[in-house]
Amino acid sequence: MRYGGAGGGVPNIPRAPLNNAPPPAAAAQQFQPTPPSEEAIAQLTSMGFEREAVVRVLQQCDNNVEVAANRLLSGA
């Protein structure tokens, strides 16, 4: 049996194709979270939370008002 290469004794094994996925930074740029609704923002700001914090936490919680409220109340 003959091995390929420069006499290194390693058989020629086909390589798997390279992953052509975009780099992580490019993938992050493609993801655009859905902005929270004004109704969801109003619900949480009426509880006394600042709008900027409400919007940030809603986006982190996939716009789930109940989860966002719990996170805001826990001070996270």
Side-chain angles (χ1 to χ4, degrees):
M1 177 182 208
R2 176 150 176 117
Y3 292 99
V10 178
N12 286 330
I13 300 173
R15 293 185 180 180
L18 296 175
N19 182 0
N20 291 328
Q29 290 173 350
Q30 292 174 357
F31 175 70
Q32 297 288 330
T34 304
S37 69
E38 285 301 318
E39 180 183 354
I41 295 169
Q43 280 183 284
L44 296 170
T45 55
S46 70
M47 296 174 68
F49 299 109
E50 293 185 14
R51 181 181 176 87
E52 294 78 22
V54 166
V55 170
R56 183 184 72 251
V57 173
L58 278 168
Q59 288 175 336
Q60 292 170 353
C61 298
D62 197 28
N63 297 322
N64 184 315
V65 176
E66 186 175 343
V67 174
N70 287 331
R71 189 172 286 186
L72 289 163
L73 287 167
S74 69

